[in-house]
Amino acid sequence: MTTATYTLSSFEKPSVVHEEIYEPHDRYIVPDPTRRSSSTQRALLLQAAREQYTLVHDHAIPDPARGEVLVKIVAIGLNPVDWKGPAFNFGIPRLPWINGRDLAGVVVSPTDESSRVQRGDLVLVPSTDYRDIRKAAFQEYAIATAYNAARIPSSQCVYASASLGVAFVASVLALGVSFGIDFSKNFTGQGPDLVRTIRGLNRDNIPADILDETFSCTLPSADRAQPGDWLAIWGASTTTGYITLQLAKLAGLHVICVADVAAHGRKLHGAGADILIDRRDPERAVEIIRGVTGGRLRYAIDFVGRETATLLERTLDGTNGDAKAHLLGLTGLPKERQPGIAYHTVPIKLFHLSPEVGESMVVWLESLLRDGTLRLPEIVRSPGGLGSVNTSLEMLKDGTASGKRVVVDLQ
Ligand SMILES: NC(=O)c1ccc[n+]([C@@H]2O[C@H](COP(=O)([O-])OP(=O)(O)OC[C@H]3O[C@@H](n4cnc5c(N)ncnc54)[C@H](OP(=O)(O)O)[C@@H]3O)[C@@H](O)[C@H]2O)c1
């Protein structure tokens, strides 16, 4: 096996060639999908926990099975888990392993005529199925389950689209499953009613670790968030927070955003935030949320960690008898549980385990992209290909990317 290990010192920081919010045209020229001369490819391997990724040149190009497509990757969107997983030794099924959760590229394998996704299509793929190494983003070719691939309209920017997938999936499942929001009503670009979809699923096909979270929204006692309800988001400048804000606004909620207002206030206000609260004085932020909602807040999401989730918990009103308050933590929940509050984690794997859920989500995403309804994350584009991933991840780790997604260009 030919390998080349890249250490931090062997690379300059990737130069930022382009920063964009959203561009109404596509600057990427789609390559001929039928041209593929080799059965091997370059890939980034994680050889051991707490190590950097290693570039190999002869990793086998995976073969798609029925219902799957092979995607030639054009751009990789980096996520915090790409450095946190190796650093804290989680989310690594075996070693060596390939990571990478967000990609955009061209479908290069033959497709059925009836398939929504066709050979030659530009697609974005949230690779939530991280236990399947064939689907990882840190390689030149990846497998995607067809019902998890969203076509990128030619009028959109492929690089910004590469940064969107996992954040979109987490946002939709948080709001649509954990908080039960019906996205099929109340706004343009009709979305899924995931509660109805879940009612039609066979419980035996859902893994035990997400069974309760998945089906709690279908109980008669479920408190589904409605238009006019307030939602507080702590960490609204995260990519996932920014998408959650936009989807919650589409669903008619009033949204309070906690973030660095000087740095991100303009963007969050532009995306519809009703109230902006600066994150630098957390105790004051709790007071403001309680004041604005009259102490009656029932829905809150934290994107930062246990400490801020515990602060958010104090803003919730759990004294309404059967109508509980709901707290979702994407990176941690409070240690202690309080009465009257339901605690949620995102059932992320539902996206790839359930064709009904996955397909309804990407079909909606396609329409949001086509209509330009969704503001895409701002990105920093790194031109260095797979060899620049290690240094690009440093930008996430040390916070220099602040509020922007880093997208690695594989062209
Ligand atoms: N469980 C899952 O399936 C899943 C899925 C998606 C994401 N996640 C997790 O959710 C979190 C957010 O992910 P992401 O990809 O959306 O993040 P991201 O875009 O990388 O987040 C970067 C942002 O976080 C903000 N931030 C950092 N510390 C903060 C604090 N103490 N208070 C408020 N904001 C703070 C930074 O704001 P400043 O510019 O002000 O520093 C920056 O704008 C990560 O921990 C990620 O691992 C989990």
Side-chain angles (χ1 to χ4, degrees):
M1 186 176 278
T2 323
T3 65
T5 305
Y6 294 100
T7 60
L8 269 185
S9 55
S10 67
F11 268 90
E12 297 294 316
K13 263 211 180 320
S15 59
V16 176
V17 294
H18 187 74
E19 293 185 12
E20 57 205 330
I21 297 173
Y22 166 74
E23 292 212 343
H25 61 278
D26 189 10
R27 291 168 296 102
Y28 176 72
I29 298 164
V30 180
D32 178 353
T34 57
R35 279 187 56 198
R36 176 154 64 94
S37 53
S38 168
S39 60
T40 58
Q41 58 166 336
R42 287 186 296 172
L44 278 188
L45 286 189
L46 182 70
Q47 310 274 18
R50 285 173 278 279
E51 273 192 12
Q52 293 210 320
Y53 297 102
T54 302
L55 186 65
V56 300
H57 295 260
D58 54 0
H59 190 74
I61 295 177
D63 285 321
R66 197 179 164 75
E68 296 178 338
V69 291
L70 183 68
V71 178
K72 182 181 190 320
I73 300 177
V74 172
I76 300 167
L78 299 182
N79 282 278
V81 71
D82 297 329
W83 70 265
K84 284 184 187 173
F88 302 112
N89 198 7
F90 70 89
I92 307 163
R94 283 193 307 280
L95 288 168
W97 199 249
I98 303 178
N99 273 352
R101 303 284 212 275
D102 266 320
L103 63 95
V106 185
V107 175
V108 291
S109 55
T111 43
D112 290 342
E113 255 176 42
S114 59
S115 170
R116 175 178 51 82
V117 174
Q118 291 290 313
R119 185 186 224 175
D121 281 347
L122 265 178
V123 291
L124 74 88
V125 185
S127 178
T128 56
D129 193 3
Y130 71 91
R131 289 178 178 279
D132 188 341
I133 197 168
R134 303 171 313 141
K135 296 178 179 167
F138 293 172
Q139 51 190 337
E140 291 175 311
Y141 291 89
I143 296 293
T145 310
Y147 64 72
N148 283 155
R151 288 167 297 172
I152 302 169
S154 59
S155 62
Q156 296 281 338
C157 175
V158 67
Y159 297 100
S161 297
S163 71
L164 180 68
V166 169
F168 179 80
V169 171
S171 301
V172 177
L173 292 176
L175 295 173
V177 177
S178 301
F179 293 177
I181 290 178
D182 180 355
F183 287 114
S184 69
K185 293 184 183 151
N186 298 317
F187 56 90
T188 53
Q190 298 272 299
D193 178 0
L194 290 175
V195 175
R196 195 175 56 206
T197 309
I198 287 167
R199 284 201 179 104
L201 299 183
N202 182 347
R203 291 178 74 94
D204 297 341
N205 296 335
I206 305 301
D209 61 336
I210 59 163
L211 195 62
D212 287 348
E213 186 64 50
T214 301
F215 284 94
S216 65
C217 61
T218 64
L219 299 173
S221 59
D223 318 288
R224 302 183 63 176
Q226 304 292 336
D229 280 339
W230 283 94
L231 167 71
I233 300 176
W234 204 298
S237 69
T238 60
T239 310
T240 321
Y242 184 53
I243 302 298
T244 302
L245 160 64
Q246 294 181 64
L247 298 182
K249 288 309 297 174
L250 286 174
L253 274 69
H254 301 306
V255 184
I256 300 171
C257 291
V258 183
D260 179 339
V261 178
H264 307 296
R266 186 165 181 270
K267 180 176 84 172
L268 296 172
H269 178 255
D274 294 284
I275 306 281
L276 292 169
I277 304 174
D278 197 73
R279 76 175 173 91
R280 278 154 210 269
D281 187 345
E283 285 300 326
R284 184 74 180 140
V286 169
E287 274 176 43
I288 296 170
I289 295 172
R290 292 188 66 85
V292 166
T293 59
R296 315 290 291 173
L297 182 68
R298 293 192 47 230
Y299 298 95
I301 303 186
D302 176 78
F303 291 112
V304 180
R306 170 173 286 171
E307 207 176 305
T308 48
T310 308
L311 289 164
L312 261 187
E313 182 187 44
R314 289 168 42 205
T315 69
L316 287 166
D317 177 16
T319 63
N320 279 317
D322 285 346
K324 289 194 165 188
H326 297 263
L327 175 63
L328 185 140
L330 219 69
T331 36
L333 282 166
K335 250 189 188 144
E336 311 284 334
R337 296 292 186 259
Q338 302 299 329
I341 298 179
Y343 295 84
H344 300 270
T345 52
V346 168
I348 199 91
K349 59 176 85 160
L350 208 49
F351 175 67
H352 61 262
L353 289 178
S354 164
E356 297 87 348
V357 171
E359 177 87 9
S360 68
M361 287 171 66
V362 295
V363 165
W364 187 35
L365 177 54
E366 286 181 355
S367 79
L368 292 172
L369 292 175
R370 218 173 28 241
D371 302 345
T373 308
L374 202 61
R375 291 174 184 231
L376 300 180
E378 294 179 42
I379 65 164
V380 176
R381 194 164 129 206
S382 167
L386 284 171
S388 72
V389 166
N390 283 324
T391 42
S392 296
L393 286 173
E394 288 295 320
M395 294 172 72
L396 289 194
K397 202 169 164 182
D398 66 20
T400 40
S402 178
K404 297 188 177 70
R405 265 291 195 254
V406 180
V407 174
V408 176
D409 187 347
L410 255 56
Q411 293 309 293

